[in-house]
Amino acid sequence: MTETTERTGRDDTIALKVTDLKKHYADAERNVFDGISFEVPKGKVLVIVGPSGSGKSTLLRAIAGLEPIQGGTIALDGTVIETGRPGNEKSGRVKRSEELRTKFGMVFQSYDLFPNKDVLGNITMAPLLVQKRKKDEVEREALELLERVHLADRAHAKPHELSGGQRQRVAICRALILHPEILLLDEITAALDPEMVHEVLEVVVELADAGQTMLIVTHEMSFARAIADRVILLADGRIEERSADAEEFFTHPKTERAREFLHSFDFVRHRDAQAERELREFDAQ
Amino acid sequence: MQGANILLEPGVFPRLLQGLWVTIWIAAVSVALSVPVGLVCGWLMTLRNPVIRFVMRVYLDFIRIMPQLALLFIAYYGIARAWNWNLDATGACVLVFILWGGAELGDLTRGALQSIPEVQHETAYMLGLSNWQAFIHVILPQAVRRLLPGSVNLATRIVKTTSLAVLLGVVEVIKVGQQIIDANRFQYPTGTLWVYGVIFLMYFIVCWPLSLVAHALEKRWAND
Amino acid sequence: MLDWSFIGRYASFFVNGAWMTLFISVFGIALAIVTGVVCAAIQTARIPVLRQLVAVYIEVSRNTPLLVQLYFLYFGLPKLGFVWSAEMCAIIGLGFLGGSYMAESMRAGLQAVPQIQRENAYMLGFNRRQTLVHVVIPQAISVSTPGLVANVIFLIKESSVVSAIALADVMYMAKDLMGITYDTYEALFMLIVTYLIILLPISILGTWLERRFDYARR
């Protein structure tokens, strides 16, 4: 499990490398993270799972530059882009160049489209304003992306006219059009109605198949199992288990902590199955 | 700068304070009487009866769209004469402020009552409380919290608006100030600046604490 | 009953009065909006010292009556050598009073834009100016608009006070005609009608805008 983290020097196959990341808040006694290290190889999908409050989202936000870190380094594509320093507790966005920011594509949990723009406007805004690309080229690409997520006919809809699942798919397009090195997905289905979860996850699976590098935080275990190349179990700000073989993690976890965690989901699934069985018996009567 | 000495003339400051007292008295009576009127209006506004709804709507919209000074003129020169009322200027002011305060407070009350979730009524019903008990013990305490910040703000607005009473000839703080300025016109030609300055300050000293209270209440109860 | 011939005879008085009301209001409100933008910008950018000054200004402006502000400007300040026309005093007075209300509405709009919208803009690589112009301000406007329209109505109503410094607005005309003709009811009727003609359209516009912009808060 440590075969790559120990390695030093440049490695062309690694997209994101986090080394000994430390984070704490000014007013809290406990550290949020106390030295976390992992890496995401290019074209691979790393999924972070863990109980609520384990710091999964904070980790993603720190990598995105939305929260400062107090120790360790974050390296993108072999270049260290941020070095944590103690005394840097004031929360807020980190100073990063516009270009660097567009190398991370982020989709948040809540629907976060700009309400004042239509779908196409949301997607084309950043390439036009930040990357100064040509309008017709950008719009063509935006429409292609919408085609991929089956929303080509909603290009001129306003965000409030879309369902939650549709909004999340547009948000994914908005991140993809900047051609990010890595896509960060923070519980993107957590606020969705169950019937919409599938349409969003399907899009993400297609992206993974196409070789998009991704770092994903999720509660959807079946999705995690289907999409992950590697898995990290985060609990209480520590990496409790890591696995380069996702299937292995879900079927034969090595640590007690992972077994406990996965068991809680089995229980839920078991309970759902039982409820369904009872319902069917009831209908049969 | 010696114009400031006008404020030190014997009797000047006590007279201004007396004027301020009249202002505060008008405002206090108006606010006190607005409360019952406002609660009744608010209750009427929540009723489903279309006639009552329409009447309350017109009443509230008319009061809101007319300048307060116009309302004062209508009350003092119009209503009083039409009904042969012997309404003096002070009475007309209080009447207008009650009608205005009542309408605004009514709308606040309506908003507060309607903002309480239906499930609160349902829970009270399931616990076996009577309608009256539910209103007193469940609905009202929650409504008052939502009502209070806006009501204190309204009180500030009523205090400020009492300044208009001078235009109907009520002898309140501004009128007293004008009398002082007139009486000392030759001795203190720049007295105007100081007297109006003091009146300005007096209004601020009365209104500011009210604003702070309203703000504090808003903050404290914002998350409930 | 009302004497309808009065209306024919004196309608022009109220038309002139309405023009004065609108003249004072338009310039007063324009001044208030400029003041409001400056104050809201200073508060949002948290510029030290200026920020405290703005806070003091807002409290003073909101907690004193316009009539007293006008008397101070029109009768008081000339003693210090600042002599302004009644129109100028009325416009400055309305601007001074309205500036704080406008600033508060604008600030409320800016604060209502969720943090996540700024985070998105950051992730998409927008710089501060782009974030402000393309993301924050368009959303803030939709939240602020109902408040801003309410302020406009409030300031036009408050402008009725300028009759006290001898400006011939709607209010002044009504008072004047009551003194000259003793046709009290007719004058009051025209007073009400004139204010309704000025204010009802703005009020209806405000309600319409509020509905239109509602999506921003959903």
Side-chain angles (χ1 to χ4, degrees):
Chain A
M1 79 189 211
T2 52
E3 80 274 36
T4 44
T5 46
E6 302 287 300
R7 213 186 285 161
T8 51
R10 219 183 153 97
D11 185 342
D12 283 346
T13 63
I14 300 300
L16 177 77
K17 184 178 168 91
V18 172
T19 314
D20 200 24
L21 187 119
K22 290 188 172 69
K23 170 149 192 73
H24 58 264
Y25 292 115
D27 47 354
E29 297 212 341
R30 199 168 58 88
N31 285 342
V32 185
F33 309 121
D34 203 1
I36 284 190
S37 304
F38 65 87
E39 49 192 47
V40 186
K42 279 185 184 166
K44 298 288 180 190
V45 177
L46 173 66
V47 175
I48 304 176
V49 296
S52 315
S54 60
K56 306 186 296 289
S57 286
T58 310
L59 180 56
L60 218 57
R61 290 171 61 84
I63 292 166
L66 296 171
E67 309 243 3
I69 55 173
Q70 285 78 47
T73 58
I74 300 169
L76 187 70
D77 215 2
T79 314
V80 173
I81 56 163
E82 197 174 334
T83 307
R85 248 173 269 107
N88 196 16
E89 283 84 5
K90 207 169 148 248
S91 72
R93 298 183 283 277
V94 178
K95 272 203 188 339
R96 284 187 184 175
S97 75
E98 280 92 40
E99 196 203 344
L100 176 56
R101 283 188 251 149
T102 58
K103 288 184 177 175
F104 293 90
M106 178 120 181
V107 182
F108 294 86
Q109 170 180 338
S110 57
Y111 320 138
D112 49 11
L113 297 179
F114 302 128
N116 49 309
K117 298 272 180 202
D118 66 4
V119 166
L120 201 60
N122 263 281
I123 301 175
T124 57
M125 226 167 139
L128 292 176
L129 288 171
V130 182
Q131 297 180 325
K132 313 278 183 214
R133 283 154 64 184
K134 288 215 177 60
K135 191 166 190 234
D136 46 341
E137 177 245 332
V138 168
E139 282 190 355
R140 201 178 57 239
E141 188 180 348
L143 289 171
E144 281 167 18
L145 284 169
L146 283 172
E147 192 79 50
R148 268 172 76 183
V149 301
H150 319 293
L151 283 174
D153 54 329
R154 305 311 309 271
H156 297 288
K158 286 274 187 172
H160 71 272
E161 296 164 346
L162 301 179
S163 72
Q166 291 174 327
R167 287 188 220 187
Q168 285 301 58
R169 283 185 278 156
V170 174
I172 291 171
C173 292
R174 187 174 64 177
L176 281 178
I177 200 166
L178 296 169
H179 307 294
E181 296 282 330
I182 183 165
L183 204 54
L184 310 174
L185 307 182
D186 184 9
E187 302 266 18
I188 58 168
T189 57
L192 294 181
D193 289 337
E195 68 267 25
M196 288 168 186
V197 170
H198 183 69
E199 66 186 45
V200 174
L201 296 186
E202 200 176 27
V203 166
V204 180
V205 171
E206 280 168 23
L207 286 175
D209 291 345
Q212 172 70 48
T213 313
M214 289 190 269
L215 177 55
I216 299 176
V217 166
T218 186
H219 265 122
E220 297 279 336
M221 283 310 131
S222 52
F223 165 63
R225 189 170 171 180
I227 200 170
D229 294 305
R230 301 178 172 206
V231 184
I232 283 177
L233 171 66
L234 197 67
D236 302 326
R238 281 205 317 273
I239 294 181
E240 292 287 342
E241 178 163 341
R242 68 174 88 212
S243 172
D245 182 347
E247 197 52 35
E248 178 81 7
F249 172 83
F250 286 103
T251 49
H252 300 94
K254 285 184 288 237
T255 60
E256 185 56 33
R257 192 69 208 248
R259 261 191 295 278
E260 247 171 57
F261 175 71
L262 290 171
H263 186 71
S264 66
F265 282 90
D266 273 336
F267 172 69
V268 173
R269 200 186 307 146
H270 174 70
R271 202 177 47 184
D272 282 352
Q274 189 176 347
E276 205 175 309
R277 206 162 42 240
E278 280 168 10
L279 205 66
R280 221 176 288 137
E281 279 164 20
F282 179 80
D283 281 343
Q285 281 174 7
Chain B
M1 281 311 253
Q2 87 271 23
N5 288 332
I6 189 173
L7 302 172
L8 304 175
E9 286 285 313
V12 164
F13 221 79
R15 278 181 66 202
L16 279 175
L17 285 178
Q18 275 169 18
L20 184 65
W21 179 246
V22 174
T23 297
I24 292 174
W25 187 84
I26 292 176
V29 170
S30 305
V31 170
L33 292 176
S34 292
V35 172
V37 175
L39 291 177
V40 171
C41 284
W43 171 67
L44 286 173
M45 286 174 189
T46 57
L47 295 182
R48 301 244 162 86
N49 183 318
V51 178
I52 294 179
R53 268 186 110 121
F54 178 75
V55 170
M56 294 312 291
R57 189 78 242 170
V58 170
Y59 166 50
L60 178 65
D61 283 352
F62 181 77
I63 293 275
R64 276 202 174 153
I65 213 162
M66 277 296 127
Q68 273 91 35
L69 188 54
L71 292 175
L72 284 173
F73 270 54
I74 294 165
Y76 188 47
Y77 296 108
I79 295 178
R81 233 186 67 182
W83 294 341
N84 261 326
W85 241 1
N86 196 7
L87 191 65
D88 67 354
T90 312
C93 286
V94 172
L95 175 69
V96 165
F97 293 155
I98 292 170
L99 287 176
W100 169 47
E104 291 282 5
L105 198 64
D107 196 43
L108 287 171
T109 308
R110 178 198 57 75
L113 286 176
Q114 287 179 348
S115 73
I116 290 162
E118 187 57 30
V119 69
Q120 294 285 329
H121 293 269
E122 290 169 354
T123 310
Y125 170 85
M126 292 313 292
L127 292 173
L129 270 62
S130 71
N131 280 344
W132 181 245
Q133 286 172 323
F135 184 75
I136 293 295
H137 296 285
V138 180
I139 307 303
L140 197 62
Q142 298 183 58
V144 164
R145 293 188 145 213
R146 290 166 204 216
L147 194 57
L148 222 50
S151 312
V152 179
N153 258 329
L154 183 65
T156 320
R157 283 166 68 198
I158 290 180
V159 173
K160 283 194 292 178
T161 312
T162 50
S163 63
L164 300 182
V166 69
L167 301 177
L168 295 189
V170 178
V171 184
E172 42 66 86
V173 65
I174 301 173
K175 190 78 201 169
V176 169
Q178 288 171 343
Q179 289 167 350
I180 292 169
I181 291 164
D182 276 348
N184 297 281
R185 168 155 295 159
F186 299 108
Q187 203 183 346
Y188 296 105
T190 60
T192 322
L193 177 74
W194 297 96
V195 171
Y196 281 130
V198 165
I199 294 171
F200 192 91
L201 213 63
M202 281 176 161
Y203 267 103
F204 182 73
I205 289 167
V206 174
C207 292
W208 193 44
L210 287 174
S211 295
L212 291 181
V213 169
H215 193 68
L217 288 176
E218 255 165 48
K219 256 195 171 160
R220 194 163 138 203
W221 288 339
N223 303 324
D224 286 4
Chain C
M1 273 315 289
L2 292 178
D3 171 12
W4 295 102
S5 71
F6 173 94
I7 293 163
R9 256 179 293 145
Y10 295 109
S12 64
F13 278 66
F14 285 94
V15 172
N16 290 339
W19 280 121
M20 177 56 88
T21 293
L22 285 175
F23 170 75
I24 299 294
S25 301
V26 165
F27 284 97
I29 289 165
L31 182 62
I33 290 174
V34 172
T35 312
V37 168
V38 172
C39 291
I42 288 172
Q43 287 191 315
T44 311
R46 297 173 190 276
I47 302 171
V49 185
L50 284 181
R51 189 176 147 212
Q52 277 80 13
L53 283 177
V54 167
V56 171
Y57 155 67
I58 286 179
E59 293 299 331
V60 171
S61 143
R62 289 186 77 108
N63 288 300
T64 48
L66 178 60
L67 184 64
V68 178
Q69 295 170 5
L70 284 183
Y71 278 155
F72 187 75
L73 283 172
Y74 189 63
F75 297 115
L77 281 188
K79 309 294 177 194
L80 286 180
F82 300 101
V83 184
W84 287 316
S85 68
E87 285 88 350
M88 201 62 189
C89 283
I91 290 168
I92 293 175
L94 267 192
F96 179 83
L97 175 76
S100 61
Y101 285 83
M102 294 293 182
E104 294 283 276
S105 297
M106 291 175 197
R107 200 170 58 137
L110 289 171
Q111 283 177 346
V113 178
Q115 189 61 23
I116 197 158
Q117 294 282 335
R118 292 184 175 88
E119 291 183 347
N120 262 297
Y122 172 92
M123 292 311 297
L124 294 172
F126 292 7
N127 61 31
R128 278 181 65 134
R129 197 190 58 80
Q130 287 167 332
T131 305
L132 204 61
V133 172
H134 296 281
V135 178
V136 176
I137 288 178
Q139 293 181 51
I141 284 176
S142 60
V143 179
S144 298
T145 300
L148 296 176
V149 176
N151 292 344
V152 166
I153 294 173
F154 164 72
L155 289 174
I156 296 175
K157 284 166 61 182
E158 284 286 304
S159 81
S160 62
V161 173
V162 302
S163 57
I165 53 170
L167 280 175
D169 73 332
V170 180
M171 204 63 227
Y172 184 92
M173 291 299 180
K175 201 168 82 177
D176 214 28
L177 285 176
M178 281 193 291
I180 298 168
T181 66
Y182 296 103
D183 291 326
T184 311
Y185 299 133
E186 287 77 7
L188 289 175
F189 175 75
M190 288 299 282
L191 173 73
I192 293 171
V193 168
T194 314
Y195 270 118
L196 282 182
I197 290 173
I198 298 174
L199 291 168
L200 255 187
I202 305 175
S203 169
I204 291 167
L205 175 79
T207 317
W208 181 76
L209 282 173
E210 194 167 353
R211 271 200 213 124
R212 234 203 104 183
F213 282 136
D214 222 18
Y215 72 81
R217 274 166 291 167
R218 257 189 266 172

